[in-house]
Amino acid sequence: MWNLTAGLGLPVAVLIGCGPIVAIGETDGSTDTSDETDSDPSGPSGPGSNTSPTTSPTTSATTVMTTSTTECTYDSDCPPGYRCDNNKCYYDGYCADGCCEDGCCYEFGCYDYCSYNFDCPSGYQCQYNQCEILQVEAACESVPFGIGFEIPIPGGVQSLAFIDADGSPERELLVGGDGVTLARIDGTTSQIAEGTYPYDIAVRDVDADGDQDIAIFDANSGAPRIILNDGMWSSVQLPSGPYPEAIVLADVEGDGFPDLVAASSGEGVYMWRNDGSGEWSEPNYYWEPSFSIASGNLDGDTTEDVVVHGYTTYALADGLQSAYELYSGAYGYTARQLGVGNFNGAGDLDVIGVEYSNGGSIVTSFVGPVLQSAGFMSTWWPYVVEVIEVADMNLDGYADVLGGGQQLSIAYGGAEPDADTIVCVSSVASPYTPYRVAAGDMSGDGRPDIALSDGSVVHVMLRTD
């Protein structure tokens, strides 16, 4: 049986260049102005939600000028960092006078220069070499969780996922470490896939027999493995390919049989096709190196899509054949974790990207339908989030984000009037730093519970209300 406790819920590319952010005069070029308006901190949090924001977001405005009123014939007639084109001086991204202590130095003054988000202060992001202040997400109280029990796991913990193994209301927890441990609420465990080291786990019905199966990337063999829910947990190793950071099961061909798609920061995005016969194809390359991946039907057709992030966030649709750039803005490789869900309740699936930076996290929401560029918005969460899980944690009909990192946090989705999609974010007391998180109804009461691990032990936190 479990040890029950009655506690309370406790840079890869650098672009050289910078430009002034002061007005030089009238322009016939482009002006990029951002003006965000405060929203009601007690705004809608979704039906049945018991979250209530307690702080108000900040506002910011930034203006960037790209032309000078100076008439010119030659480049030397223009201010430093500008070139002459059609008798007008245009900024060309080169800092001719070098940089001063706080940024780029011109006769017009200095301003902060950045290449990466980490170059900026806490609460800012690097946008086109300039540090831009972000709206702080409203704070709120979380639904209550208590520490339920600890699961002993030999050999350490690398991955977590919940599965419906037998059709009962209680979900089982899969723990990847030395093989896969299947843990149940009654305290019993089973060891499956012995001899493997599951770097990541995905769960879905891959053979269309009505139950959930398991896919892992086995770091010991350097190849994915499918573990069938057939009463014996039979497994088959797929052809080797890239060494991925993350895998998903997504029906990208629309044939009713989910395929395995993997994101590798060193090798790219690959797919193993599943034709339903039990045979899986060799891995095929589809996209550039990417750090994270998530899946969902983003355009309402018969095929599922994936979103990936490396230098830029892209959606891959139409059997991964079509690529849609969702957002770039920052230079260099970032560890943006992706999630797909109906966060704002509008019907179309939204995409959210979370990346930690300077004591908090920069969060970008892409509002559905994302393939039609419906809009995006970046905000600041005061929590360092390194891994995420998407689930409706408070059962209000809006997808939420469970975050692990330096602390456990939950961001609650809701009917926001803008592209934010998140109503508020809260911290949740946990027994240790959670570097692995998963959400699932382990107790069978109809509400998601939380599993978390620091890499050595696993705790399950149950709802206490």
Side-chain angles (χ1 to χ4, degrees), residues 101-430:
E101 181 178 356
D102 297 323
C104 280
C105 192
Y106 290 93
E107 61 182 282
F108 309 107
C110 297
Y111 76 98
D112 287 340
Y113 170 83
C114 62
S115 294
Y116 310 103
N117 289 326
F118 281 96
D119 295 335
C120 298
S122 179
Y124 287 71
Q125 71 172 343
C126 184
Q127 285 282 84
Y128 306 107
N129 296 127
Q130 300 173 34
C131 292
E132 176 186 80
I133 192 170
L134 295 176
Q135 172 181 300
V136 179
E137 196 64 69
C140 59
E141 293 184 359
S142 170
V143 293
F145 290 90
I147 302 170
F149 50 84
E150 181 178 312
I151 303 174
I153 301 296
V157 179
Q158 174 58 41
S159 49
L160 296 172
F162 280 96
I163 184 173
D164 180 3
D166 56 11
S168 66
E170 299 86 7
R171 297 294 179 259
E172 292 76 23
L173 178 64
L174 300 171
V175 184
D178 185 5
V180 178
T181 298
L182 188 146
R184 305 173 183 85
I185 190 66
D186 64 4
T188 61
T189 61
S190 301
Q191 297 298 316
I192 58 179
E194 294 181 345
T196 65
Y197 187 78
Y199 194 83
D200 195 20
I201 301 176
V203 172
R204 193 158 175 185
D205 183 5
V206 301
D207 52 7
D209 65 351
D211 55 34
Q212 291 190 321
D213 308 298
I214 305 168
I216 65 172
F217 176 74
D218 175 21
N220 284 346
S221 64
R225 182 177 292 271
I226 301 298
I227 307 171
L228 296 174
N229 187 357
D230 58 1
M232 299 177 293
W233 298 110
S234 304
S235 68
V236 58
Q237 180 174 305
L238 275 56
S240 60
Y243 195 104
E245 277 77 12
I247 60 174
V248 295
L249 289 166
D251 186 8
V252 301
E253 297 177 304
D255 60 359
F257 298 100
D259 310 291
L260 180 65
V261 189
S264 167
S265 63
E267 298 167 85
V269 176
Y270 285 76
M271 181 176 74
W272 288 257
R273 286 189 176 86
N274 173 18
D275 63 7
S277 67
E279 299 293 328
W280 294 70
S281 73
E282 295 283 336
N284 291 313
Y285 173 88
Y286 281 88
W287 195 245
E288 62 194 25
S290 300
F291 180 85
S292 57
I293 187 170
S295 63
N297 192 328
L298 302 176
D299 52 9
D301 62 8
T302 59
T303 63
E304 294 181 357
D305 316 300
V306 302
V307 286
V308 295
H309 180 78
Y311 294 99
T312 303
T313 301
Y314 279 90
L316 306 180
D318 306 320
L320 308 189
Q321 300 291 335
S322 302
Y324 298 80
E325 183 182 37
L326 300 186
Y327 173 78
S328 179
Y331 301 120
Y333 192 82
T334 58
R336 178 179 295 166
Q337 296 293 320
L338 298 173
V340 174
N342 189 8
F343 299 106
N344 63 6
D348 294 294
L349 291 179
D350 313 301
V351 175
I352 200 163
V354 184
E355 57 187 89
Y356 61 90
S357 177
N358 295 330
S361 295
I362 299 169
V363 181
T364 305
S365 297
F366 310 93
V367 179
V370 297
L371 302 190
Q372 298 178 18
S373 300
F376 65 86
M377 180 177 179
S378 293
T379 58
W380 176 262
W381 294 358
Y383 308 110
V384 174
V385 177
E386 299 180 59
V387 294
I388 66 172
E389 172 100 334
V390 174
D392 186 358
M393 300 301 296
N394 57 352
L395 299 182
D396 65 350
Y398 301 91
D400 309 314
V401 179
L402 176 67
Q406 290 184 1
Q407 63 272 92
L408 184 65
S409 60
I410 302 177
Y412 292 95
E416 289 285 74
D418 52 28
D420 184 2
T421 76
I422 297 298
V423 172
C424 59
V425 61
S426 67
S427 64
V428 181
S430 61

